[in-house]
Amino acid sequence: MGKILTEAELRSGTVKREGNKVFVAPDTFITELAKEYITTHALELVKTTAVATGSHSGGSFGKGVMSYTPIASKGAHRFVDYHSGKGYAEKPEHMTHLRGNLLVPKNDARILFRGKLDSLEALIMQTQITAEECGYPAIAQELDEVMRFVQQILACEVKDEPLADIEIFGMDSAALRYASHHLKEVFGIEHSVPHYSMGKVCVALNSLRTFIRETELAAAAAFTVGTEIQRADIIEALNRLSSCVYIMFCKKVSGKYD
């Protein structure tokens, strides 16, 4: 592994700089605190032979942005601590893979977010079973599309790739937001307060909606550094996904599935 750039070096001025540009060698590993410093101070990290690029607004070493490119390790050090740059021959039990050979503690906010997505998939399946058992196969089938969208979010986060434009049930982001805010116009009902008397399917859909909201908050915690939002695409997608399930809830209340 090459040189490690730390926050202390950035603060001390020992790194070559010109204005807001910071120059480093191509194989330099940037610690987590150094990345936060770069983001907070709107610095531009420039490699001496090339400028690293990324696939989305949260995946490059551009101005005020961060990257998770796997780091080349040498000798016995097969794994690298993402936060400190420390090398390991074997993966410690308290750590897990962030991406490639980069390791983070298992309680890292991004790992917690992935865990939320995993739990969300489990809850979707539970809701599908409830819908089937209560005689609403159409709801179970629609939730298949919700499941695929969640799986797409997880894949894009793990691979550090941009999320495709939102489209669920043939509606884009704007249409989902509009439908969830104009229920009288779209479904002929007012906003309904969930109640146990609405039955198992409505209660299950409401539980799913609230858990998606929790997952959105986990995403916000994982991808916010200072005032910089790294994965606005994922946060918006989860917001619209909760709107989507709320729309399903309202369709059930208004009898659209009967």
Side-chain angles (χ1 to χ4, degrees):
M1 187 176 68
K3 177 179 171 54
I4 297 174
L5 178 63
T6 66
E7 179 192 23
E9 289 177 305
L10 288 168
R11 290 185 180 279
S12 65
T14 58
V15 183
K16 180 181 178 182
R17 291 180 58 171
E18 291 180 8
N20 72 325
K21 294 184 178 180
V22 179
F23 295 87
V24 297
D27 59 349
T28 300
F29 177 75
I30 318 300
T31 68
E32 175 71 2
L33 291 178
K35 290 179 182 180
E36 291 182 9
Y37 185 92
I38 289 168
T39 298
T40 303
H41 293 80
L43 301 178
E44 182 178 358
L45 196 63
V46 180
K47 293 188 177 182
T48 53
T49 57
V51 179
T53 58
S55 56
H56 57 80
S57 61
S60 72
F61 277 138
K63 185 176 181 180
V65 215
M66 295 162 60
S67 173
Y68 307 107
T69 305
I71 303 300
S73 55
K74 297 180 180 180
H77 291 169
R78 298 168 52 205
F79 304 101
V80 178
D81 187 320
Y82 170 70
H83 294 287
S84 68
K86 180 180 178 181
Y88 296 97
E90 300 293 336
K91 183 177 75 65
E93 287 296 328
H94 72 284
M95 305 190 80
T96 189
H97 292 273
L98 173 65
R99 195 165 287 110
N101 67 335
L102 296 179
L103 302 180
V104 291
K106 291 181 178 179
N107 64 348
D108 183 273
R110 286 151 296 192
I111 304 305
L112 295 177
F113 169 63
R114 292 176 188 177
K116 283 284 189 181
L117 289 177
D118 193 22
S119 297
L120 177 56
E121 291 182 13
L123 187 56
I124 290 171
M125 288 185 283
Q126 290 177 10
T127 307
Q128 287 177 298
I129 290 174
T130 298
E132 285 276 6
E133 290 178 344
C134 293
Y136 292 93
I139 292 178
Q141 291 170 9
E142 286 186 2
L143 286 172
D144 267 341
E145 188 169 347
V146 174
M147 175 71 86
R148 287 192 294 270
F149 192 68
V150 173
Q151 291 169 340
Q152 182 183 355
I153 292 173
L154 178 58
C156 289
E157 193 283 315
V158 171
K159 296 177 183 177
D160 198 24
E161 296 176 348
L163 190 62
D165 291 339
I166 300 168
E167 184 173 337
I168 310 177
F169 304 156
M171 292 185 284
D172 61 12
S173 178
L176 287 166
R177 188 176 190 280
Y178 185 88
S180 66
H181 284 74
H182 297 82
L183 299 180
K184 186 69 174 178
E185 177 185 345
V186 178
F187 303 111
I189 63 172
E190 302 293 344
H191 285 273
S192 299
V193 177
H195 192 269
Y196 79 92
S197 62
M198 293 176 175
K200 289 183 178 180
V201 175
C202 281
V203 170
L205 287 171
N206 184 61
S207 295
L208 180 58
R209 177 192 63 82
T210 61
F211 193 83
I212 293 172
R213 285 292 193 185
E214 290 182 26
T215 307
E216 180 187 351
L217 293 178
F223 303 123
T224 302
V225 178
T227 59
E228 186 77 23
I229 306 299
Q230 298 171 339
R231 293 303 305 255
D233 56 342
I234 288 178
I235 295 172
E236 179 185 354
L238 288 165
N239 182 274
R240 296 303 184 267
L241 193 64
S242 66
S243 296
C244 173
V245 175
Y246 182 60
I247 288 169
M248 294 180 68
F249 170 84
C250 292
K251 286 170 65 177
K252 176 65 177 67
V253 171
S254 62
K256 300 296 183 183
Y257 292 110
D258 296 329

